[in-house]
Amino acid sequence: MGISQVAVIGGGTMGNGIALVSALYGFRTTIVEQNEQSGERALVNIENSLERMVKKGTVSSEQMQQILDGLVVVYNPLFLDPDTDIAIEAIYENKAAKLDIYSALHKCLKPEAIIATNTSAISITELAVHTRPEKFIGMHFMNPVPVMKLVEIIRGYSTSDDTFSIVHDLALKMEKTPVEVQDYPGFISNRILMPMINEAVFALMEGVANKEAIDTVMKLGMNHPMGPLALADFIGLDVCLAIMNVLYEGYKDSKYRPCPLLVKMVSANKLGRKTGEGFYQY
Ligand code: NAI
């Protein structure tokens, strides 16, 4: 089965990027949002990203108009085109909410359609179990989606080879670099990234160095484009903490314990850029 009709569930930070890329590479694309306000916000964000691409010369104005004209937003999976080949889910990182959406999708999508999730860290196998496990897979894009090349493709316990190869091929058609990963907590990206960020927070808490010094060491010493504390502010400290908790619970290994300073900052609602303050002020 080739993919021609894509549904993106959730048009937030990740969903609007995924929808843009899907439409840009010629897939008929529909966004499912919760209400008109979030649907309109998704379209405005897509239009803004496209305008930046037109300014850079990577997309022509005609192409931009074509993409905007072709994008459809609906407010219930029931209104998806019956020909939808894949639903890529990018709603909040909340297991119960995701399971609700999969059960709605499972009822209304054709039997051969694939359900993919952009989850950062929830087990693909656990998310898959009540729907169509052979046709369920992780498709983990990076933020910002139009810019970042990597897509981790995570095979749940029962994901079929056929599903894997269709989704792998889809990522290639979107000019991404797909990497095959097995379903273990944090996959590869967050299993390696989050403990590094967590360790940077420990170093800060213990007074080994100040925040600027920690970020400078990693930027200039390791050639990272951003220091770990600035990156944590960008990702959101709540998201970092949630992923550390998934690693800690999943491996039952103390090396993944979240740093108490990270926990305290999340309790104080100092979540980074989105609340105006994290390790830095915005
Ligand atoms: P977000 O909060 O920006 O967007 C979520 C969107 O889903 C919102 O627009 C919301 O209205 C919509 N939504 C919620 N429930 C819905 C429902 N039942 N039906 C339709 N739409 C619904 O979240 P974000 O950051 O885009 O994250 C989405 C997923 O991607 C999460 O699983 C997250 O862990 C993952 N992710 C996030 C990354 C990031 O840097 N933000 C990076 C990689 C993965």
Side-chain angles (χ1 to χ4, degrees):
M1 181 186 81
I3 301 277
S4 54
Q5 177 90 36
V6 174
V8 179
I9 322 300
T13 308
M14 296 303 288
N16 78 61
I18 297 168
L20 190 167
V21 168
S22 164
L24 184 63
Y25 287 93
F27 300 97
R28 277 179 287 135
T29 307
T30 303
I31 298 172
V32 182
E33 253 298 348
Q34 324 191 66
N35 52 48
E36 281 188 29
Q37 199 192 355
S38 11
E40 273 158 28
R41 194 180 48 217
L43 287 177
V44 167
N45 286 333
I46 290 175
E47 192 169 349
N48 291 341
S49 309
L50 280 167
E51 268 165 9
R52 283 195 294 275
M53 291 166 136
V54 170
K55 274 195 194 124
K56 274 202 248 159
T58 48
V59 166
S60 68
S61 322
E62 297 74 47
Q63 228 182 334
M64 168 173 166
Q65 205 46 53
Q66 249 176 15
I67 291 170
L68 292 174
D69 291 345
L71 275 172
V72 176
V73 183
V74 298
Y75 299 101
N76 189 318
L78 279 175
F79 299 124
L80 281 172
D81 190 314
D83 277 340
T84 300
D85 299 305
I86 185 169
I88 306 174
E89 170 275 312
I91 69 163
Y92 308 128
E93 186 77 342
N94 175 302
K95 187 173 169 189
K98 287 186 189 287
L99 291 177
D100 277 351
I101 273 288
Y102 304 147
S103 108
L105 288 168
H106 184 50
K107 283 185 202 132
C108 68
L109 292 179
K110 60 186 178 187
E112 61 272 33
I114 292 171
I115 303 179
T117 173
N118 189 52
T119 181
S120 301
I122 305 174
S123 156
I124 305 303
T125 307
E126 281 175 32
L127 292 176
V129 77
H130 299 298
T131 54
R132 42 183 84 185
E134 308 79 31
K135 299 194 176 301
F136 195 101
I137 196 160
M139 193 174 190
H140 185 206
F141 290 84
M142 304 291 127
N143 184 17
V145 180
V147 177
M148 300 291 278
K149 285 285 170 207
L150 177 70
V151 180
E152 274 185 306
I153 303 196
I154 306 119
R155 300 180 78 126
Y157 191 85
S158 308
T159 306
S160 70
D161 290 343
D162 200 31
T163 300
F164 176 80
S165 78
I166 292 168
V167 171
H168 187 268
D169 186 50
L170 175 65
L172 289 175
K173 286 185 176 141
M174 293 176 171
E175 286 196 56
K176 299 293 182 198
T177 303
V179 170
E180 179 178 357
V181 177
Q182 302 302 322
D183 184 24
Y184 286 98
F187 317 133
I188 289 294
S189 52
N190 283 319
R191 181 168 177 177
I192 295 175
L193 173 67
M194 287 303 161
M196 183 195 71
I197 289 177
N198 196 48
E199 202 57 36
V201 187
F202 267 113
L204 180 69
M205 182 181 80
E206 290 164 9
V208 182
N210 65 26
K211 56 181 186 276
E212 290 84 3
I214 292 168
D215 278 351
T216 301
V217 167
M218 298 307 284
K219 275 197 300 185
L220 301 187
M222 317 300 155
N223 231 359
H224 289 193
M226 232 180 188
L229 300 173
L231 181 58
D233 279 356
F234 180 73
I235 296 171
L237 270 53
D238 52 338
V239 176
C240 297
L241 176 59
I243 297 172
M244 283 312 295
N245 280 326
V246 166
L247 293 172
Y248 188 50
E249 290 302 316
Y251 293 106
K252 303 278 188 285
D253 186 330
S254 65
K255 75 178 175 181
Y256 297 114
R257 73 215 178 286
C259 175
L261 175 59
L262 180 65
V263 177
K264 188 156 73 174
M265 289 177 72
V266 172
S267 306
N269 203 38
K270 307 293 183 203
L271 306 182
R273 283 177 184 267
K274 62 183 156 189
T275 57
E277 187 184 341
F279 295 106
Y280 297 89
Q281 306 272 347
Y282 299 92

